[in-house]
Amino acid sequence: ATMAATKASKEQKYDRQLRLWGDHGQETLENAHVCLINATATGTEILKNLVLPGIGAFTIVDGHTVSGEDAGNNFFLSNNSIGRNRAQAATELLQELNGDVSGNFVEESPDKLLDNDPEFFHRFTIVIGVQLPESTCLRLGSVLWNASVPFLICKTYGLIGYMRLVVQEHTVIESHPDNALEDLRLDQPFEEFKNHTNSYDLDSMDKKDHSHTPWIIIVAKYLEKWLSEHNDQLPKNYKEKEAFRQTIREGIIKTDGGVPEDEENFEEAIKNVNTALNLTKVCGVIQLIFYHSSCVCRVFSLIHLPVRGTIPDMIADSQKFINLQNVYREKAMQDAAAVSKHVECLLRSVGKPPESISEKDIKLFCKNASFLRVVRCRSLAEEYSVDSVNKDEIASYMDNPDSEMVFYLMLRAVDRFYQQHSRYPGVYNYQVEEDINKLKVCVNSLLQEYSLSVNIKDDYIHEFCRYGAAEPHTVSAFLGGSAAQEAIKIISHQFVPFNNTFIYNAMSQTSATFQL
Amino acid sequence: MVQLVGSLRKELADSLYTCKVLVVGAGGIGCELLKNLVLTGFKNIEVIDLDTIDVSNLNRQFLFQKKHVGKSKAQVAKESVLQFCPSANITAYHDSIMNPDYNVEFFRKFMLVMNALDNRAARNHVNRMCLAADVPLIESGTAGYLGQVTVIKKGLTECYECQPKPAQKTFPGCTIRNTPSEPIHCIVWAKYLFNQLFGEEDADQEVSPDTADPEAAWNPEEATARASASEKDGDVKRVSTKEWARSTGYDPIKLFNKLFKDDIMYLLTMDKLWKKRKAPTPLDWTQLENKASPQEESPASGLKDQQVLGVWGCCQLFKHSVETLRSELREKGDNAELVWDKDDPAAMDFVTSAANLRMHIFSMNMKSRFDVKSMAGNIIPAIATTNAVIAGLIVLEGLKILSGELESCRTIFLNKCPNVRKKLLVPCVLDPPSKNCYVCASKPEVTVKLNVQKTTVLSLQDRILKERFGMVAPDVQIEDGKGTILISSEEGETEANNSKYLSDFGIRNGSRLQSDDFLQDYTLLINVLHTEELERDVEFEVVGEAPDKAPPPQSNPEEVNSITNGNKDSAQPSTSSKGQPQTRKRLSQKEKKNLHGHDL
């Protein structure tokens, strides 16, 4: 009873988000363990937005003690926490947001952990690294890459926000496309559907039944006739489709006076001719996925994908609608069963028990077969290496000297500054002038190293020195929202995450994504 | 506390210490906004919200915890923020911003007003107050993954009402009462029914068969059938639905048979309605009970709310919810009224079961409680992340306003994922005020088409002035040379006029009415265009505005904006989904502007 009560109260608490990612999406969140490195303002904002929707657990890794600046821009650190360990102090307050989440902390710097126990990071669903220096990013990046743990790097630098997603391969079953086409197979009707269509005889129906026959049946009927009269060729161009529509139009019942009746279902059929005639084929993205993976669906992919099993709402009486729906649903179940059988064989061949992939997952997979997506990011090593840097992407965006790409280059230059001087430019007021020149040197050496012939305006160098590595709260808040959203996509395997670099410019309220 | 000035210029940072700002709404965006403001250095903040905290807020409104459920949002938000930032000076009001206490003087105290609202009426009102007080306003909203922020400044930018918003969907009375064709019609009917039985009775929310349906004009020979049917119904007709229900002791089975059997049989006698439509099938409690199979209740996997109940399941839910509501009503004492609330389990169960039974009767596919809740409660999905992003953007726009850089302010749209141009955010230059705006133009004027012989003074006041033109307490004077007062906002002064028709006061085609709202400091001149040709159930039309249609695209976005917008989030309540395949929808900038999020 208490289990049921907890479930009901969760259902109520999470009602507004269940409407976006469903209870299975929520379940993945509740099973997730998120690691946050550095509880700065940006870090705690991200975590807040993950604790509220109810991730299972988080662990904060942070070797810093809380400073006055921290208390000033971080909602989850107060004056009382100054001098304490930042991971611990932030965990206490974040924990208060949601009793269902388990909060943990490690009072240690990520570098120390990487020295002593790199496998520590393998346990997480995702690792989010905030305000990390380049060297740590590269080290941790390679550890996580090899362990196939997604790594989300975030940085708030003055009025600039930066995110980088590093994941070898991320698969998405439910990509939730905005405008998915229905999967009706009218061009390649399956046996059961044909039989069902044949059970209708439009000519001998009474008026009420006639006007409550689902449009899918109507189109199928007239299409069959069309094919027999046109050498089995579907209506292809506008003219043929118009002619096909006309044949449907002529099927509308007429009054004794010869005036066509108002038959909304026929109107619907006419309106849907285009959709209905969509060819059943496997689109390029999906073909590519199947080609590149040892996919169990290959058996289908050569011909067609498993039937989705859903039909749109339409004018029809309940019984006719449900009967038609069942035809599609049963076919979908048969297809899923076939896939399931194949999965079983495959699993056995690799020595795994057949239940290691659940029936439920197979059904979900089949239902979404035409929406599958795979995101493959480049590694940080590839991005940073002189041999594999994506020069084309950088150079083409830098044709516009004010493109958000300039901020990416500036952030890289700032990292270089930090490597050389062990501090960020402009953090001490008395050094600002001096730092401008030093940062300029870093910019130039960066461009030289990658042989990039692009021009970076002095204004940007001044601006970045002025920032003094500040982390303004409201920019952190923005990034906190965006980064948490991406983390939820990764955890739930729903919706498609960005690939792979995101830049936000708070001055102009603009953003961009790049593949670096 | 060490205040990180960081990237703010010093003068700006200093001004944050002294300036006073108002946050309207302490919900999803409001909570985030309050946090951002104090941590950016704002010291003097007032916040107002009339709502109390609900469990379903806790997944995003992070200033609230379980122990706060039922308490004032504004008050708890203030206390939570002060715990973290004790130096802030925050005033909280647990009140409606439309209360006349918050007059133009009140608004003038602020350097900046930020809306974090969830409804159009309040947005319209704050818009007018800010115009009247000449205070800059930042307007915002979110819906699922989508969000937007814009800046409104009198005389410089469009106001909230410059672009007509599509009318909120209403349904003709006959469709609701006699001929529902979509699930939403049954849901609306069930909500009306709730009010008729347990809540405040409203003549516009009748649920019984509408004998005046022009479509149902009877042939004389069928009079007998009608008479016999209405005899059965006789005792119901004479007393109100509520009184009748009360007289049966809210007996669920009697209610059931009246609503789902007798009324439906009565509808069947109006046979003209069913010539082209599929006729409804009455339900009978005893019959259903006898053939109820126990396996119908087999709970499948997944959430309970997301399953569609069978007919008998709905019957039991109906019975159970009526019993619960009956005892709630009894506990409250004589003449008590319940208020429908989507988050009240019994009220929601009642609407779910009654709507589903009616859907079944009218041959529609039944819906799960989860879906009914979406549609009945106009639920818009809401998550922490989107609100965080939007609140971040609001403060940045606020900083620009306070540094006097209004020209660099933008309307910003947040997309679900980076668009084809790889942009997550789409900033657009602010448009200048519309010359024809019926709110912010120098002499606002509109033309309204109505029938002066059929429009009462009360419906002029409630439907036209309040509902349509967003006035709170209008005074209306006829420009007839004598200055006849038609409506006075002083209580009791013109009540006698309410039930009279406009023509009774000499109002005819071409008459001009001057309508004032003292609180909003707003005067609107209304030109009356008399007509006898309005569609059934349409009371009036505003000339030059096509209802339910998006305005033509114009505007000057900074970039060509051709993103496909995911405004059809699967959870978005859809009112007309009959057979419409989701086609690729490209929104123009102006259409997007009308996509107003509702999370507060």
Side-chain angles (χ1 to χ4, degrees):
Chain A
T2 45
M3 273 286 283
T6 332
K7 211 177 162 202
S9 95
K10 275 192 179 172
E11 213 173 312
Q12 223 184 340
K13 181 159 85 178
Y14 299 131
D15 180 273
R16 301 302 188 266
Q17 68 201 41
L18 290 176
R19 284 161 203 282
L20 291 173
W21 51 68
D23 50 330
H24 58 294
Q26 186 65 30
E27 204 179 305
T28 58
L29 275 189
E30 288 173 17
N31 290 328
H33 189 172
V34 176
C35 174
L36 169 72
I37 302 172
N38 285 339
T40 69
T42 307
T44 54
E45 287 300 307
I46 297 171
L47 213 44
K48 157 181 139 284
N49 295 330
L50 293 173
V51 169
L52 287 168
I55 50 168
F58 67 82
T59 296
I60 302 182
V61 172
D62 195 336
H64 295 86
T65 48
V66 179
S67 68
E69 279 93 342
D70 284 329
N73 78 337
N74 195 326
F75 196 74
F76 298 94
L77 298 172
S78 65
N79 279 354
N80 305 336
S81 31
I82 293 177
R84 295 177 59 206
N85 174 269
R86 201 161 64 178
Q88 184 185 14
T91 300
E92 285 167 11
L93 292 181
L94 282 162
Q95 180 80 73
E96 278 184 20
L97 293 177
N98 193 339
D100 298 329
V101 179
S102 133
N104 314 278
F105 60 92
V106 175
E107 300 173 66
E108 193 116 54
S109 78
D111 285 301
K112 265 233 178 86
L113 279 171
L114 284 169
D115 289 341
N116 301 331
D117 180 18
E119 281 173 18
F120 168 83
F121 291 102
H122 291 187
R123 71 193 69 179
F124 299 109
T125 321
I126 181 171
V127 174
I128 303 173
V130 179
Q131 314 294 81
L132 289 175
E134 187 180 299
S135 57
T136 314
C137 279
L138 284 167
R139 277 183 80 194
L140 185 55
S142 112
V143 165
L144 295 173
W145 182 267
N146 293 327
S148 295
V149 175
F151 183 27
L152 183 61
I153 301 166
C154 301
K155 188 174 261 181
T156 298
Y157 201 93
L159 296 175
I160 301 302
Y162 163 84
M163 286 197 282
R164 167 70 154 94
L165 178 63
V166 193
V167 58
Q168 274 204 45
E169 180 176 282
H170 174 74
T171 53
V172 182
I173 293 182
E174 292 164 277
S175 58
H176 296 279
D178 276 341
N179 19 56
L181 293 169
E182 298 291 344
D183 182 22
L184 303 175
R185 311 283 164 112
L186 290 175
D187 59 329
Q188 298 171 19
F190 45 92
E191 213 46 47
E192 298 83 345
F193 177 75
K194 275 193 211 160
N195 296 340
H196 182 70
T197 315
N198 287 340
S199 71
Y200 279 85
D201 181 2
L202 290 174
D203 298 328
S204 67
M205 276 178 169
D206 71 18
K207 210 159 74 184
K208 223 170 253 170
D209 275 334
H210 196 264
S211 61
H212 285 90
T213 300
W215 70 257
I216 293 178
I217 303 281
I218 299 173
V219 171
K221 284 269 182 201
Y222 285 90
L223 197 58
E224 202 187 334
K225 200 164 139 223
W226 173 279
L227 289 173
S228 70
E229 290 166 3
H230 292 83
N231 245 343
D232 277 341
Q233 296 294 305
L234 292 167
K236 278 193 278 299
N237 47 39
Y238 177 77
K239 206 176 138 198
E240 286 174 12
K241 283 181 184 167
E242 225 6 80
F244 178 58
R245 285 192 189 98
Q246 190 52 35
T247 66
I248 300 178
R249 204 167 283 129
E250 280 158 12
I252 296 176
I253 293 187
K254 296 191 177 57
T255 59
D256 298 338
V259 185
E261 292 269 4
D262 232 359
E263 289 198 296
E264 285 181 89
N265 55 336
F266 272 73
E267 294 302 329
E268 238 178 24
I270 291 164
K271 215 169 56 195
N272 279 300
V273 160
N274 245 339
T275 332
L277 293 180
N278 256 312
L279 295 183
T280 304
K281 58 181 180 203
V282 184
C283 77
V285 181
I286 303 298
Q287 276 176 355
L288 222 61
I289 293 174
F290 288 151
Y291 183 76
H292 284 289
S293 38
S294 52
C295 184
V296 296
C297 248
R298 235 184 228 178
V299 61
F300 278 92
S301 69
L302 299 175
I303 320 151
H304 50 68
L305 295 171
V307 165
R308 196 177 305 154
T310 55
I311 55 174
D313 209 356
M314 65 192 71
I315 291 167
D317 59 59
S318 287
Q319 206 47 54
K320 292 197 184 72
F321 180 84
I322 289 168
N323 291 344
L324 179 63
Q325 198 176 37
N326 285 341
V327 170
Y328 278 97
R329 196 175 277 168
E330 273 155 29
K331 177 66 180 165
M333 266 153 60
Q334 276 174 28
D335 283 0
V339 173
S340 185
K341 220 164 153 194
H342 206 74
V343 170
E344 215 182 298
C345 293
L346 274 175
L347 284 171
R348 204 167 290 137
S349 74
V350 294
K352 288 204 171 165
E355 59 274 11
S356 48
I357 297 180
S358 76
E359 234 13 80
K360 213 172 107 194
D361 284 343
I362 292 173
K363 277 190 185 141
L364 189 72
F365 182 91
C366 291
K367 198 175 164 191
N368 286 282
S370 49
F371 310 135
L372 304 175
R373 293 292 178 271
V374 173
V375 175
R376 291 195 179 88
C377 297
R378 299 214 318 150
S379 72
L380 279 184
E382 284 172 287
E383 177 186 339
Y384 280 65
S385 153
V386 176
D387 301 323
S388 52
V389 61
N390 192 348
K391 256 161 68 172
D392 291 347
E393 180 98 341
I394 299 174
S396 72
Y397 276 99
M398 284 305 291
D399 283 348
N400 167 12
D402 297 314
S403 152
E404 282 80 8
M405 185 60 87
V406 73
F407 301 116
Y408 167 72
L409 294 172
M410 285 307 306
L411 287 170
R412 291 287 303 272
V414 161
D415 273 337
R416 189 162 286 229
F417 187 107
Y418 183 84
Q419 255 168 18
Q420 288 170 9
H421 306 283
S422 301
R423 63 177 172 83
Y424 285 103
V427 282
Y428 302 108
N429 276 335
Y430 66 92
Q431 281 173 325
V432 172
E433 282 308 309
E434 186 188 325
D435 284 358
I436 289 176
N437 287 324
K438 285 184 176 159
L439 182 57
K440 206 179 241 171
V441 172
C442 292
V443 169
N444 288 333
S445 81
L446 178 85
L447 297 179
Q448 218 161 34
E449 189 183 324
Y450 290 105
S451 12
L452 287 162
S453 53
V454 301
N455 178 36
I456 294 181
K457 289 191 206 161
D458 275 358
D459 288 356
Y460 290 115
I461 295 169
H462 287 248
E463 182 75 1
F464 268 67
C465 278
R466 194 174 72 80
Y467 290 157
E471 203 180 336
H473 182 79
T474 187
V475 181
S476 303
F478 174 91
L479 207 62
S482 309
Q485 193 56 62
E486 294 306 315
I488 290 171
K489 289 182 191 171
I490 303 260
I491 293 168
S492 65
H493 287 263
Q494 291 188 38
F495 301 95
V496 187
F498 76 106
N499 185 5
N500 54 26
T501 301
F502 172 85
I503 300 277
Y504 165 59
N505 173 0
M507 289 171 280
S508 58
Q509 306 280 45
T510 51
S511 72
T513 43
F514 306 117
Q515 272 197 314
L516 294 169
Chain B
M1 185 190 295
V2 185
Q3 192 52 249
L4 185 77
V5 177
S7 32
L8 298 186
R9 278 180 299 103
K10 182 147 189 330
E11 315 83 78
L12 178 56
D14 289 345
S15 79
L16 301 188
Y17 273 75
T18 50
C19 87
K20 187 176 267 196
V21 297
L22 173 66
V23 175
V24 189
I29 296 177
C31 281
E32 297 282 341
L33 190 51
L34 286 169
K35 166 184 67 76
N36 292 354
L37 288 171
V38 293
L39 290 173
T40 303
F42 285 84
K43 286 286 166 222
N44 303 295
I45 303 168
E46 304 203 353
V47 58
I48 179 165
D49 196 315
L50 83 164
D51 244 359
T52 53
I53 296 158
D54 182 81
V55 183
S56 65
N57 301 144
L58 301 181
N59 79 329
R60 61 195 187 282
Q61 302 178 13
F62 70 98
L63 296 174
F64 313 142
Q65 296 172 19
K66 216 163 216 157
K67 62 180 180 203
H68 297 131
V69 168
K71 293 190 175 159
S72 151
K73 283 189 175 180
Q75 194 56 38
V76 174
K78 170 191 159 167
E79 284 159 17
S80 297
V81 170
L82 284 181
Q83 243 176 43
F84 289 94
C85 302
S87 65
N89 173 21
I90 303 176
T91 310
Y93 304 92
H94 180 201
D95 205 347
S96 162
I97 191 65
M98 291 165 87
N99 182 323
D101 291 350
Y102 310 106
N103 54 17
V104 176
E105 282 313 305
F106 173 83
F107 277 84
R108 278 206 190 104
K109 294 194 294 199
F110 303 103
M111 293 276 281
L112 179 63
V113 174
M114 285 158 278
N115 268 353
L117 283 162
D118 69 342
N119 68 87
R120 200 185 288 168
R123 282 190 169 107
N124 285 343
H125 182 75
V126 176
N127 176 47
R128 290 163 193 212
M129 298 309 292
C130 287
L131 289 171
D134 198 8
V135 176
L137 167 66
I138 304 180
E139 172 57 56
S140 62
T142 66
Y145 297 109
L146 306 174
Q148 73 174 64
V149 175
T150 192
V151 172
I152 295 168
K153 175 76 170 74
K154 184 182 180 179
L156 291 176
T157 73
E158 279 188 341
C159 81
Y160 180 69
E161 294 165 273
C162 272
Q163 294 298 329
K165 314 272 181 296
Q168 262 142 357
K169 190 114 184 151
T170 57
F171 302 100
C174 317
T175 307
I176 300 299
R177 295 169 63 182
N178 293 357
T179 53
S181 59
E182 293 176 28
I184 184 70
H185 300 147
C186 301
I187 293 167
V188 169
W189 177 86
K191 274 173 76 180
Y192 286 179
L193 177 65
F194 178 93
N195 285 340
Q196 295 289 338
L197 291 177
F198 307 105
E200 190 184 353
E201 285 175 282
D202 179 338
D204 286 334
Q205 300 191 347
E206 251 325 312
V207 290
S208 56
D210 180 8
T211 52
D213 191 335
E215 235 197 282
W218 279 301
N219 304 324
E221 53 272 29
E222 261 122 13
T224 353
R226 174 176 40 127
S228 72
S230 86
E231 228 165 86
K232 254 191 265 166
D233 207 41
D235 54 335
V236 187
K237 285 272 114 101
R238 265 173 266 121
V239 293
S240 78
T241 312
K242 196 180 203 168
E243 278 172 55
W244 173 78
R246 212 179 269 161
S247 74
T248 70
Y250 283 101
D251 180 331
I253 296 168
K254 280 190 182 147
L255 286 177
F256 181 97
N257 281 333
K258 143 109 176 94
L259 294 164
F260 303 114
K261 191 172 94 185
D262 300 346
D263 279 357
I264 302 302
M265 281 167 50
Y266 186 82
L267 279 176
L268 285 171
T269 67
M270 299 162 78
D271 65 345
K272 234 189 159 177
L273 292 176
W274 318 114
K275 282 254 157 70
K276 280 182 195 159
R277 294 186 181 86
K278 189 166 160 92
T281 326
L283 293 176
D284 181 88
W285 182 276
T286 329
Q287 266 175 29
L288 289 166
E289 191 168 29
N290 290 339
K291 69 173 187 193
S293 53
Q295 54 148 41
E296 204 185 271
E297 300 307 299
S298 69
S301 64
L303 292 181
K304 198 173 116 248
D305 270 13
Q306 290 181 16
Q307 287 153 23
V308 180
L309 291 176
V311 178
W312 181 240
C314 285
C315 292
Q316 286 170 310
L317 190 64
F318 178 81
K319 177 164 177 274
H320 192 75
S321 60
V322 168
E323 284 162 356
T324 313
L325 292 167
R326 172 175 65 190
S327 50
E328 276 179 28
L329 203 58
R330 277 187 192 148
E331 259 168 48
K332 287 187 133 183
D334 280 346
N335 296 322
E337 278 169 359
L338 301 180
V339 177
W340 191 79
D341 177 359
K342 62 181 179 294
D343 290 314
D344 172 24
M348 196 54 231
D349 284 343
F350 177 82
V351 166
T352 304
S353 56
N356 266 306
L357 288 166
R358 194 163 166 91
M359 285 179 219
H360 180 77
I361 288 168
F362 284 93
S363 303
M364 290 171 222
N365 301 304
M366 292 160 80
K367 297 262 171 203
S368 70
R369 187 182 190 275
F370 191 78
D371 288 340
V372 174
K373 187 170 175 182
S374 262
M375 294 163 90
N378 280 326
I379 289 185
I380 291 170
I383 43 177
T385 50
T386 311
N387 290 333
V389 168
I390 290 301
L393 297 178
I394 293 173
V395 174
L396 288 161
E397 291 304 308
L399 293 176
K400 287 193 246 176
I401 295 174
L402 294 176
S403 8
E405 293 166 31
L406 212 87
E407 69 287 347
S408 62
C409 287
R410 296 287 180 270
T411 295
I412 307 138
F413 299 100
L414 170 69
N415 291 318
K416 185 153 86 180
C417 49
N419 63 13
V420 287
R421 295 168 53 89
K422 299 191 175 179
K423 310 283 182 185
L424 188 69
L425 298 173
V426 183
C428 303
V429 172
L430 299 173
D431 286 324
S434 155
K435 287 190 190 72
N436 305 321
C437 177
Y438 66 76
V439 175
C440 71
S442 61
K443 288 209 164 104
E445 194 170 330
V446 286
T447 302
V448 176
K449 220 195 245 183
L450 48 74
N451 186 333
V452 293
Q453 275 130 21
K454 286 191 180 164
T455 308
T456 62
V457 172
L458 187 67
S459 89
L460 170 71
Q461 179 189 287
D462 288 353
R463 299 274 168 271
I464 303 184
L465 297 175
K466 287 190 180 171
E467 238 168 66
R468 181 63 188 75
F469 292 116
M471 293 188 164
V472 174
D475 290 276
V476 179
Q477 195 178 333
I478 309 172
E479 290 204 340
D480 53 2
K482 294 177 282 188
T484 309
I485 307 278
L486 191 65
I487 298 171
S488 163
S489 58
E490 288 296 319
E491 216 166 305
E493 279 190 6
T494 50
E495 238 101 285
N497 294 352
N498 280 353
S499 55
K500 292 186 184 152
Y501 294 103
L502 299 188
S503 54
D504 296 339
F505 298 89
I507 295 171
R508 55 192 164 85
N509 192 30
S511 292
R512 286 155 72 88
L513 308 176
Q514 187 186 310
S515 175
D516 288 287
D517 190 296
F518 182 73
L519 177 62
Q520 296 175 341
D521 192 13
Y522 171 50
T523 302
L524 177 66
L525 195 66
I526 297 170
N527 296 293
V528 175
L529 190 67
H530 172 71
T531 178
E532 303 196 343
E533 286 161 359
L534 287 169
E535 277 178 53
R536 115 174 153 154
D537 276 326
V538 174
E539 277 184 284
F540 68 94
E541 250 170 47
V542 179
V543 175
E545 243 174 48
D548 267 336
K549 248 187 215 155
Q554 28 161 312
S555 182
N556 44 345
E558 269 179 337
E559 55 170 31
V560 183
N561 170 40
S562 61
I563 48 158
T564 16
N565 197 301
N567 76 324
K568 288 281 173 203
D569 257 330
S570 54
Q572 197 89 338
S574 135
T575 49
S576 56
S577 61
K578 279 241 147 174
Q580 296 279 13
Q582 296 287 314
T583 47
R584 201 173 176 81
K585 193 170 181 192
R586 280 166 193 273
L587 291 184
S588 71
Q589 208 54 49
K590 273 295 138 80
E591 281 176 293
K592 291 195 65 191
K593 273 203 170 170
N594 290 322
L595 187 162
H596 270 273
H598 294 270
D599 196 27
L600 59 153

